[in-house]
Amino acid sequence: LTAMLLLAAALLMGMKSTPTNIEFSCNDLKLDDDYAAMEKAFGKPWYSDNRMVYGRSVDYYVYHDKTVIGISKKTGKVVDIVLNDRKYTLAKGVMIGATPYKMQSVYGKGERMNLDGNNYFIYNSQTAPKQRLLLQLDPMEDFLIGVRLTSLPLDDEDADAAMYDDDQAEVDELHTGEIDTSAVTTDKNHDANAKIRINYKKSW
């Protein structure tokens, strides 16, 4: 079973990550929880903002301590948790300021990876391969400076790979962009350069 899960992780993800059996959670909030669980764990947010992340509509809830939690507009599930305050702890006391030794002793020995110009240890859950934990490292000394728990794609390659394994609700969401079919070839119009354009924005 473990081997099958590891194989699934390799097939489903473009972004490389290290498998771990440690649960991803903070303040008892986990990915795939709902809004009520978020309020129970972190209280009422300061404000919210909707963003498109690789074609997925996500409502982001922002807190005064800069905690940011994203909930899929389509499914109502938590898909993104971003932490920057050392008052929050992960598994076995991992918190902002943790050393590489501490992080790897809890989650396993990971390789340092670069994403958008920042260095991370990136882990994926053995029981839920699409769920990942990003531990952002200080550029000079590698201690922990930021945490992200996410089930969203991390880059273009990751987004392309995820399209083949999205839940049906997520697939439907990717198809909500406007489609320009004016150049599509028909029996009456044999345009060799016909194209279908799908317009959507991405951010993160």
Side-chain angles (χ1 to χ4, degrees), residues 76-167:
K77 295 180 179 180
V78 173
V79 293
D80 219 1
I81 304 172
V82 180
L83 309 165
N84 297 283
D85 197 308
R86 66 180 302 129
K87 69 185 177 185
Y88 299 120
T89 59
L90 303 176
K92 300 182 181 179
V94 174
M95 65 177 68
I96 300 299
T99 64
Y101 174 80
K102 175 65 174 179
M103 288 180 265
Q104 294 187 100
S105 67
V106 173
Y107 292 103
K109 187 170 180 58
E111 297 180 25
R112 192 168 73 163
M113 287 172 273
N114 187 278
L115 177 64
D116 295 332
N118 297 309
N119 292 320
Y120 297 88
F121 290 138
I122 302 179
Y123 297 91
N124 67 275
S125 169
Q126 287 187 342
T127 56
K130 288 199 296 182
Q131 296 186 6
R132 280 172 284 184
L133 170 66
L134 285 73
L135 302 177
Q136 185 177 352
L137 309 175
D138 178 82
M140 299 297 293
E141 300 182 28
D142 284 352
F143 61 83
L144 183 60
I145 61 173
V147 174
R148 183 182 180 195
L149 296 76
T150 190
S151 55
L152 295 172
L154 300 179
D155 58 15
D156 291 331
E157 181 182 357
D158 204 25
D160 290 342
M163 284 186 67
Y164 295 99
D165 188 66
D166 277 336
D167 295 334

